[in-house]
Amino acid sequence: MLVPVKWLKDYVDYDMKTEELALAMTMSGTNVESIKTLGENIQGVVVGKIESIKPHPNADKLRVCFVDVGGENALQIITGAENVKEGDKVPTALEGSQLPIGIKIKTTKFRGLESQGMMCSAQELKLETKNLPDEQKNGILILPENAPIGEDVKKILGLDDEIIEFEITTNRPDCLSIVGIAREAAVTVGGRFKFPEIVVPEGQGNISNETRVDVEDPDLCPRYTARLIKNVRIKPSPIWMQQRLRAAGIRPINNIVDITNYVMLELGQPLHAFDFECLNDKRIIVRRAKKGEKLVTLDGIERELDESVLVIADSNKPVGIAGVMGGENSEITEKTQTVLLESANFNSTSIRRTAKKLGLRTEASSRFEKGIDPNIAEIASNRFVQLVEQLDAGDVVNGIIDIYPKPLKPWRIKMRPGRINKILGTNLTSEQMEKILNSLGLKVVEKSSEHLFVEVPTFRKDITREEDLSEEIGRIYGFDNIPPTLPKGSTTFGTQPSHMVKADKTKDILNACGISEIITFSFISPQSFDKINLPKESPLRKVIKLMNPLGEDTSVMRTTLIPNMLSVISYNLSNRQENIALFELGRVYRPKSLPLKELPDEYNLLTIGMSDDKIDFYDLKGVVETLFENLGVTPVEFNPYKHPTFHPGRTAEVLINGKRAGVLGEIHPDVNDAYDIKKRVYLCELEFDLIAEQSELSYKFEPIPRYPAVERDLAIVVNDSVLAKDIENTIIEAGGSLIKEIDLFDIYKGKQIPEGKKSMAYSLMFRANDRTLTDEEVNNIYNKIVDSLKNKFNAKLRD
Amino acid sequence: MREKLLNIRKEAEKSLLEAIKQQDIERLRINFLGKKGKLTQLLRGMGNLLPEDRPVIGQMANKLRSDLERMIEEKIEAIKEKEKLERLEKEQIDVTITGRKKFIGRKHPLTRTLEDIKSFFIGMGYEVVEGPEIELDYYNFEALNTPEDHPARDVQDTFYITDKILLRTQTSPMQVRTMEKRKPPLKILAPGRVYRSDAVDATHSPVFHQVEGLVIDENITMGDLKGTLIAFARYLFGQDRGVRFRPHYFPFTEPSAELDISCIVCNGKGCRLCSYNGWLEILGCGMVHPRVLEMVGYNPEKVGGFALGMGIERIALLKYGIDDMRLFFENDLRFLRQF
Ligand SMILES: [Zn+2]
């Protein structure tokens, strides 16, 4: 809400700088977003009177003007403009002055003659030129004849004002008006509030003889008032009104339309003026639109309507969409003779829905949809005719049509001062509270020792219960004056759930492994599933779709974190980043059924992606093993696995305690291509909820071994297809509890090893907790292991 | 004999002086004290001496032996010391060459910020809870005193999945979900991801993160809200940070306020970051609206409390001096590695 300070001062007396007022208003609940000083960039431009004009001796197109600016001598100013004549008053930029178009005026010579300043056009002062006579649009701006010579033009042009921009919260539609702001300002800074004095002028005839209004749907239109103006004299509104409208962000159009807007800004009641001659049968019907009915609104767009839309109609067609925008068919034009003025109240929900449906939010609809006091409708209508009379815009017809079947009356709230103090944590007396309430127009109508009855004026529809009064009292008393304390009473324990503790720990471990965290959007493109090569029947393609996504790229809720991870890796590779090692711990959304009938399951996944010349599959696997080891997740298995996103020979399924925990491997080259990635990428995606559940973070001491260990190397040749995992399980099985460590230190294929075979060299460590093992004992176990490997895998011992 | 002993002493002393390496000494030891060494040889001839001379010469010889042993030891020590010094001299390195660093991964700045926030509230006795991001209209709006067609819904452009199911626009539904399940006293903190259909730009993102706080007990006042949040703001932004509470409007609190801190760049003098007014808004808060309490079956005459909500991105932007929201979700390593 833009509020010109001079306009505001019509309704409230105060004596302080605008900045001080703004701060006080902010602290009482009407937040100030900005203060703009008009004409800030115009400096040293004054009213000058052209005394005489001579032709320029050296140039046909230039003229030499002598301009009186109140100094000792008239200034000699050269101009190329044709529209000035002797006696004209013009904005004169003096030597050293500043213009908003960014120039500074200096004395210069034009064809040999000195020019001691410049006469300015409207454009050079950055003024609106639309309402100027044509010759002034391109020439010099001519000021009113009575403008005092030497006066700063900012005063003459109304540019010596400041504009405060207020943020009005949705609960205070009454503050979407200058009067509403003035009322708040008066309470806030202790000034006097002056509601405009409204006198309805004496007119001719009577409206009831000229027209009639029928409201068919009083639920959607609680009040409708109409007045008539005859012999309308359409012309531009006076400069002062235009300046105020413009300062408040509204473009002046003509006197009638400008007055409607002026009253809306002043009182907060939107008004609409119809060209009465355009109303069939000269009557108004407020009704719901018929399905398929059409109306071209004032913005020139044809709107198709239906029964949900309330329209203002004449006997055979809609002439406006109630509370939103009028129709072109009844627009005020230069030919308008008679005006029917509507000042009505519409149901806020209905207006809100209509505006949303039509995608049409206007100054009027944004006020109606927040709720306007129906009691202001008649006052605004009266104010309109007062201004019509004042501006000589037409002849007022006596009387008002007012259809208001259920007038809204002030309501009462019981308030306990003790309760207010309990909410706020204050110690205010009942008298202090009463004083604050009264200043806000909330009348205390009855009191006892325990409570007060407060009568709420109809423009404060946001106040309906005791707590609402606590806010009013609190904010006017000043939130900053409430003493800060800490909650007393029950002790509570600060904790977080186990899976969050595990998540924090996971992030720490991965960080220690050199892996950094990423955070990406929860919605992805449906194309992502093709890019990561998922088959058509993949359950991951069962996605939750947004009804109103920002775009196709962000239209479905993710069921996997892989696409975002690959995008981030691709992005960083394209920025020539190296050592890429990233993880994301985030949610995926899996519907129980589609379309969604109940809330879906939200799971946490952990995805790790790595890409670097120096790493391979086992670096990533090592990270995952490190993570599991440090989270106390056991037992873990990695089995060969096929997954369309991954390399067919370099992918493992991860099992925790026999439960599927995810997949780990090298990304398939086709998927890499889809993401424009030129390097090998290693990636795993794990069910984090399972990891958290299986993680056992209790630590228990085991005695440090007192007896020495014995090491033996074991090198065997087996078929290529034999898995390390199976060999190791066999060693453990055969070796029993004395085997403490198995370390695969070499895998060899090639010379000396037959085709299709591999040599695997292990270092085995044996130890007993209660004695030193003898050579013989170790040899026995060793031989058992060798026999077992021979039997199972046809392994040959290698020397 | 005496003369011979003296000669051996002289000779040994001379050789010791000349010895440079440990091997020289070893050779010298064998030469004089070894089985065939000069002193050993000489002592073998002791038998030829007159009995009365024996003790004197024997004493002399023993003295010579022990002296030689001692001198040899000393010489060995000296040589070792010298050799050590020489080695150390040779082993000098350029300590200004950069060491081999280990790269520790970094947490996302939003995670870091949330950790800061959590640690304050956990320390104050709050329990962290989580809830669904895909939420029922009921919890996101209706139960928070924001029925359909409430104008406050306009401020939060909502992503819908069905008419009744949406992406939560705030973490506030967790207030209701927690109160439905439990009885007061409650002190909870609910962090999470929220969504609004804003196009991506420097100050907007359709996905962002909030933290919701809720305290419900008997006798909770607005003063308690102030005390808690002043402590929080100073914990995050420094002990001498200016703090103010500005009345505001939220449908589910009454009274409602926004918390401003004095500008972290200009300290209140006015600069571009604070739009020249010296203050920065960091969170919204208020006393829980009695309607919200009634809807979960609490009696607002008996219990009440306060709620607060803040954007984690907003806090992180201010705390780290980041000037563009998009950086959080681009995940550029050159950005991530700064935290
Ligand atoms: Zn600042």
Side-chain angles (χ1 to χ4, degrees):
Chain A
M1 172 85 195
L2 296 172
V3 176
V5 169
K6 280 186 163 177
W7 195 354
L8 180 66
K9 284 187 163 175
D10 281 357
Y11 316 117
V12 56
D13 283 329
Y14 65 86
D15 187 23
M16 55 171 61
K17 284 198 196 126
T18 302
E19 286 74 20
E20 289 170 307
L21 173 77
L23 179 60
M25 289 293 279
T26 292
M27 294 314 285
S28 73
T30 319
N31 191 28
V32 170
E33 291 190 320
S34 67
I35 301 172
K36 204 171 92 194
T37 308
L38 287 179
E40 211 170 13
N41 303 314
I42 305 178
Q43 248 151 53
V45 182
V46 300
V47 178
K49 184 180 175 192
I50 302 177
E51 304 265 83
S52 58
I53 303 181
K54 290 193 308 189
H56 192 293
N58 308 324
D60 290 347
K61 296 218 165 143
L62 296 179
R63 295 195 291 168
V64 185
C65 304
F66 294 89
V67 183
D68 179 5
V69 293
E72 238 168 77
N73 301 311
L75 302 179
Q76 172 178 295
I77 296 177
I78 317 294
T79 182
E82 289 161 6
N83 71 319
V84 288
K85 57 184 193 302
E86 288 178 1
D88 276 350
K89 294 219 172 131
V90 293
T92 311
L94 305 177
E95 159 102 37
S97 62
Q98 292 251 14
L99 296 186
I101 46 172
I103 52 173
K104 204 170 170 179
I105 304 300
K106 281 186 297 209
T107 298
T108 33
K109 279 189 177 173
F110 288 93
R111 295 289 189 97
L113 274 188
E114 217 170 57
S115 185
Q116 300 164 310
M118 186 177 118
M119 297 186 287
C120 306
S121 69
Q123 281 162 355
E124 283 156 344
L125 296 173
K126 284 218 166 161
L127 300 176
E128 173 83 54
T129 57
K130 189 177 164 284
N131 294 304
L132 291 173
D134 280 346
E135 67 275 12
Q136 286 189 37
K137 279 184 185 157
N138 304 312
I140 304 296
L141 178 70
I142 308 295
L143 300 171
E145 279 166 38
N146 59 1
I149 293 168
E151 180 77 270
D152 192 327
V153 292
K154 286 195 278 187
K155 265 197 182 158
I156 306 300
L157 297 168
L159 296 176
D160 56 339
D161 203 356
E162 288 165 303
I163 297 171
I164 310 178
E165 185 178 4
F166 289 100
E167 172 198 2
I168 308 298
T169 51
T170 53
N171 61 326
R172 292 300 303 273
D174 62 300
C175 285
L176 290 170
S177 65
I178 312 276
V179 159
I181 296 283
R183 195 184 277 120
E184 277 292 318
V187 180
T188 301
V189 302
R192 194 168 60 89
F193 172 60
K194 302 174 288 185
F195 197 83
E197 242 175 73
I198 299 173
V199 184
V200 179
E202 188 68 27
Q204 39 176 282
N206 195 303
I207 187 168
S208 51
N209 301 330
E210 315 266 350
T211 182
R212 62 171 292 180
V213 174
D214 293 282
V215 176
E216 287 184 0
D217 222 317
D219 282 351
L220 300 189
C221 176
R223 189 176 194 182
Y224 198 97
T225 76
R227 278 186 185 276
L228 272 191
I229 319 294
K230 283 193 169 171
N231 307 320
V232 168
R233 297 174 278 282
I234 298 288
K235 57 189 172 188
S237 57
I239 297 285
W240 66 266
M241 185 176 275
Q242 291 193 24
Q243 278 164 3
R244 285 188 167 185
L245 291 177
R246 219 177 273 125
I250 288 186
R251 199 163 54 89
I253 293 172
N254 59 45
N255 50 358
I256 293 294
V257 175
D258 289 359
I259 297 171
T260 62
N261 284 327
Y262 186 86
V263 175
M264 175 180 73
L265 292 172
E266 182 180 62
L267 302 176
Q269 167 72 49
L271 303 178
H272 187 71
F274 295 97
D275 187 329
F276 189 58
E277 319 293 336
C278 302
L279 300 180
N280 200 49
D281 287 341
K282 305 220 179 314
R283 60 179 291 200
I284 290 282
I285 302 168
V286 184
R287 60 164 169 86
R288 286 171 185 266
K290 292 167 193 145
K291 188 149 183 65
E293 216 166 11
K294 284 179 183 148
L295 175 69
V296 178
T297 41
L298 282 174
D299 53 8
I301 296 171
E302 187 182 72
R303 316 267 172 185
E304 189 164 330
L305 312 172
D306 62 33
E307 294 93 336
S308 72
V309 177
L310 189 73
V311 294
I312 312 300
D314 59 20
S315 60
N316 63 7
K317 63 177 187 297
V319 292
I321 299 172
V324 181
M325 193 180 267
E328 226 175 42
N329 54 13
S330 54
E331 185 180 4
I332 303 299
T333 66
E334 295 190 355
K335 296 186 199 97
T336 300
Q337 295 287 315
T338 307
V339 163
L340 181 138
L341 180 84
E342 163 196 293
S343 179
N345 192 273
F346 300 110
N347 175 291
S348 54
T349 302
S350 154
I351 299 295
R352 182 172 183 272
R353 288 186 179 169
T354 300
K356 210 171 167 186
K357 180 180 203 138
L358 299 177
L360 183 61
R361 280 193 101 218
T362 59
E363 287 278 344
S365 75
S366 67
R367 283 177 169 81
F368 279 122
E369 69 182 33
K370 292 183 185 92
I372 295 176
D373 177 11
N375 291 324
I376 196 81
E378 186 188 357
I379 299 168
S381 183
N382 293 345
R383 178 66 166 156
F384 176 84
V385 292
Q386 178 187 26
L387 286 168
V388 165
E389 170 89 358
Q390 199 178 312
L391 304 191
D392 190 33
D395 302 329
V396 177
V397 175
N398 281 330
I400 182 168
I401 292 176
D402 186 359
I403 299 174
Y404 191 20
K406 288 182 205 155
L408 183 66
K409 300 219 170 61
W411 52 92
R412 285 180 178 198
I413 297 174
K414 181 173 145 185
M415 184 190 103
R416 295 158 294 172
R419 171 87 177 152
I420 303 295
N421 278 327
K422 202 180 159 203
I423 293 170
L424 296 176
T426 48
N427 233 330
L428 299 173
T429 62
S430 163
E431 287 69 34
Q432 280 174 294
M433 294 186 192
E434 201 179 325
K435 207 177 145 211
I436 290 172
L437 294 173
N438 281 332
S439 73
L440 286 161
L442 300 157
K443 261 182 281 170
V444 174
V445 287
E446 203 185 307
K447 38 183 160 173
S448 74
S449 56
E450 293 294 306
H451 55 255
L452 312 173
F453 276 101
V454 180
E455 189 176 274
V456 182
T458 52
F459 62 83
R460 288 304 305 273
K461 66 164 192 99
D462 59 307
I463 300 179
T464 58
R465 57 193 287 176
E466 201 176 29
E467 284 75 10
D468 299 327
L469 296 174
S470 76
E471 174 162 86
E472 295 303 302
I473 291 166
R475 73 185 178 90
I476 300 301
Y477 174 65
F479 284 174
D480 275 351
N481 295 322
I482 297 173
T485 49
L486 286 177
K488 291 162 276 292
S490 340
T491 302
T492 51
F493 294 99
T495 55
Q496 49 178 341
S498 157
H499 75 272
M500 286 178 84
V501 175
K502 305 277 168 62
D504 287 353
K505 176 117 186 160
T506 296
K507 292 177 184 183
D508 286 336
I509 295 166
L510 293 176
N511 282 166
C513 293
I515 306 174
S516 295
E517 185 186 14
I518 64 169
I519 291 182
T520 68
F521 282 0
S522 319
F523 22 61
I524 56 175
S525 163
Q527 313 295 323
S528 310
F529 302 113
D530 295 336
K531 286 175 86 176
I532 62 168
N533 231 353
L534 290 186
K536 293 280 167 263
E537 67 281 4
S538 165
L540 294 183
R541 285 182 182 264
K542 290 211 178 70
V543 286
I544 298 163
K545 291 191 180 76
L546 300 184
M547 266 166 67
N548 55 335
L550 289 176
E552 170 83 359
D553 274 1
T554 50
S555 61
V556 302
M557 299 305 286
R558 64 189 180 187
T559 51
T560 162
L561 307 184
I562 294 175
N564 284 350
M565 176 59 79
L566 289 173
S567 297
V568 171
I569 289 174
S570 171
Y571 174 83
N572 279 296
L573 284 172
S574 73
N575 283 327
R576 293 200 193 80
Q577 295 300 297
E578 288 170 2
N579 300 321
I580 291 175
L582 301 168
F583 75 89
E584 179 166 24
L585 205 174
R587 286 193 195 182
V588 294
Y589 313 84
R590 296 174 187 159
K592 293 185 184 116
S593 64
L594 284 172
L596 224 50
K597 289 200 181 60
E598 53 181 327
L599 293 186
D601 291 320
E602 297 182 17
Y603 294 95
N604 292 293
L605 295 189
L606 172 64
T607 295
I608 308 173
M610 297 167 86
S611 182
D612 186 44
D613 294 335
K614 294 189 285 289
I615 63 162
D616 64 20
F617 176 92
Y618 298 104
D619 287 283
L620 176 60
K621 189 181 174 198
V623 165
V624 172
E625 287 168 323
T626 305
L627 174 67
F628 287 165
E629 200 172 302
N630 285 281
L631 281 177
V633 171
T634 182
V636 182
E637 266 182 85
F638 295 83
N639 293 326
Y641 190 62
K642 300 274 186 249
H643 186 298
T645 307
F646 292 87
H647 189 303
R650 296 183 170 185
T651 303
E653 180 184 41
V654 186
L655 300 174
I656 299 173
N657 230 334
K659 291 181 187 145
R660 188 176 185 279
V663 59
L664 180 152
E666 183 180 322
I667 290 294
H668 197 288
D670 292 349
V671 176
N672 262 2
D673 283 350
Y675 284 89
D676 202 19
I677 296 174
K678 307 258 185 310
K679 289 188 176 182
R680 287 174 193 262
V681 173
Y682 303 93
L683 191 144
C684 70
E685 179 155 272
L686 304 170
E687 302 282 335
F688 185 74
D689 298 318
L690 179 66
I691 295 173
E693 176 203 301
Q694 296 285 328
S695 152
E696 184 66 49
L697 279 179
S698 61
Y699 299 97
K700 214 170 170 200
F701 168 72
E702 266 182 43
I704 294 159
R706 291 167 57 198
Y707 298 93
V710 180
E711 279 187 39
R712 288 287 157 88
D713 285 354
L714 169 73
I716 51 171
V717 175
V718 291
N719 280 341
D720 248 352
S721 60
V722 175
L723 299 178
K725 183 186 101 172
D726 296 328
I727 293 176
E728 286 155 25
N729 283 341
T730 305
I731 294 174
I732 291 166
E733 225 169 83
S737 63
L738 297 179
I739 287 260
K740 298 295 179 194
E741 270 173 37
I742 303 171
D743 178 26
L744 176 67
F745 65 87
D746 188 42
I747 299 182
Y748 177 74
K749 286 193 233 182
K751 261 190 199 167
Q752 297 161 355
I753 305 294
E755 187 70 20
K757 306 242 174 203
K758 60 185 171 185
S759 150
M760 301 180 85
Y762 283 95
S763 154
L764 309 179
M765 196 182 85
F766 303 85
R767 192 177 57 228
N769 291 337
D770 55 353
R771 64 189 189 280
T772 304
L773 290 175
T774 62
D775 260 2
E776 206 189 332
E777 270 180 292
V778 174
N779 287 343
N780 279 340
I781 305 170
Y782 184 86
N783 290 335
K784 247 174 91 183
I785 291 171
V786 171
D787 287 345
S788 218
L789 291 172
K790 277 181 181 163
N791 283 338
K792 269 204 176 152
F793 307 111
N794 197 19
K796 302 251 168 356
L797 217 48
R798 194 167 174 243
D799 10 64
Chain B
M1 195 68 180
R2 186 178 303 235
E3 203 139 306
K4 276 183 186 160
L5 281 172
L6 280 175
N7 281 339
I8 287 174
R9 180 181 286 267
K10 267 187 204 150
E11 197 185 335
E13 279 172 352
K14 186 169 168 263
S15 309
L16 266 174
L17 268 180
E18 284 163 0
I20 300 166
K21 294 182 180 163
Q22 289 201 50
Q23 298 99 292
D24 297 343
I25 305 283
E26 212 39 52
R27 215 175 302 127
L28 195 143
R29 186 203 299 272
I30 295 162
N31 210 0
F32 289 93
L33 301 172
K35 281 183 187 164
K36 291 176 184 163
K38 289 181 179 167
L39 185 58
T40 323
Q41 296 272 326
L42 192 72
L43 290 177
R44 288 212 181 109
M46 284 277 282
N48 303 333
L49 288 177
L50 291 173
E52 62 265 35
D53 284 346
R54 273 185 205 159
V56 183
I57 296 297
Q59 210 180 350
M60 265 182 75
N62 280 337
K63 174 98 177 16
L64 177 58
R65 171 177 280 274
S66 65
D67 281 357
L68 279 181
E69 278 172 350
R70 184 178 44 79
M71 284 189 299
I72 284 168
E73 276 314 305
E74 279 172 9
K75 185 70 184 184
I76 286 173
E77 279 308 307
I79 285 173
K80 273 191 185 163
E81 184 64 21
K82 191 164 159 261
E83 281 178 356
K84 184 176 79 189
L85 289 177
E86 279 169 6
R87 192 182 78 233
L88 292 179
E89 178 74 20
K90 264 190 248 156
E91 283 174 358
Q92 191 172 328
I93 57 165
D94 180 355
V95 298
T96 66
I97 291 169
T98 309
R100 284 176 210 105
K101 289 190 223 173
K102 299 293 173 229
F103 180 74
I104 306 290
R106 307 301 175 95
K107 275 184 193 150
H108 195 282
L110 293 176
T111 299
R112 240 171 235 292
T113 307
L114 176 59
E115 279 179 355
D116 275 353
I117 296 169
K118 279 200 300 192
S119 77
F120 174 84
F121 284 100
I122 290 174
M124 299 281 275
Y126 288 64
E127 182 187 337
V128 183
V129 296
E130 277 187 319
E133 293 167 18
I134 298 181
E135 184 57 285
L136 297 172
D137 183 282
Y138 176 80
Y139 287 106
N140 195 72
F141 288 124
E142 230 174 292
L144 290 165
N145 199 26
T146 319
E148 220 190 327
D149 294 311
H150 193 287
R153 287 200 180 200
D154 279 351
V155 190
Q156 306 182 0
D157 288 324
T158 310
F159 286 117
Y160 282 93
I161 290 162
T162 70
D163 288 344
K164 289 278 159 227
I165 300 177
L166 44 74
L167 299 186
R168 66 177 175 193
T169 60
Q170 48 195 357
T171 40
S172 313
M174 281 312 290
Q175 288 185 29
V176 183
R177 283 184 172 274
T178 310
M179 286 192 285
E180 273 183 352
K181 270 186 280 179
R182 304 207 213 156
K183 293 270 155 281
L186 284 181
K187 268 191 192 170
I188 59 151
L189 191 76
R193 194 171 265 224
V194 299
Y195 304 83
R196 298 200 190 159
S197 61
D198 290 322
V200 179
D201 66 22
T203 53
H204 294 90
S205 170
V207 176
F208 60 105
H209 299 79
Q210 281 189 341
V211 181
E212 192 81 7
L214 175 74
V215 174
I216 303 282
D217 202 348
E218 291 165 9
N219 302 315
I220 300 289
T221 70
M222 183 127 182
D224 298 336
L225 164 67
K226 281 189 63 181
T228 302
L229 289 180
I230 289 171
F232 170 69
R234 295 193 170 145
Y235 166 85
L236 268 194
F237 293 101
Q239 282 310 310
D240 42 8
R241 184 67 38 208
V243 179
R244 71 176 191 185
F245 288 80
R246 208 164 19 77
H248 197 70
Y249 170 71
F250 303 107
F252 42 93
T253 48
E254 186 79 24
S256 305
E258 281 186 333
L259 176 73
D260 293 344
I261 55 167
S262 56
C263 177
I264 49 167
V265 171
C266 65
N267 274 312
K269 286 185 211 72
C271 69
R272 222 182 57 183
L273 178 68
C274 59
S275 310
Y276 301 95
N277 78 22
W279 294 94
L280 298 166
E281 179 224 318
I282 63 163
L283 59 82
C285 56
M287 304 306 289
V288 178
H289 199 288
R291 184 89 196 95
V292 174
L293 298 173
E294 283 160 4
M295 282 186 81
V296 296
Y298 286 7
N299 179 356
E301 291 290 320
K302 290 254 166 61
V303 294
F306 61 78
L308 60 105
M310 71 190 101
I312 300 177
E313 279 79 359
R314 169 88 182 146
I315 305 282
L317 287 172
L318 294 177
K319 215 169 150 49
Y320 300 123
I322 298 166
D323 58 3
D324 193 329
M325 278 270 266
R326 285 168 288 206
L327 287 165
F328 290 128
F329 301 101
E330 247 167 31
N331 297 295
D332 191 317
L333 274 165
R334 293 166 295 184
F335 171 76
L336 297 175
R337 284 177 182 151
Q338 293 180 32
F339 298 93

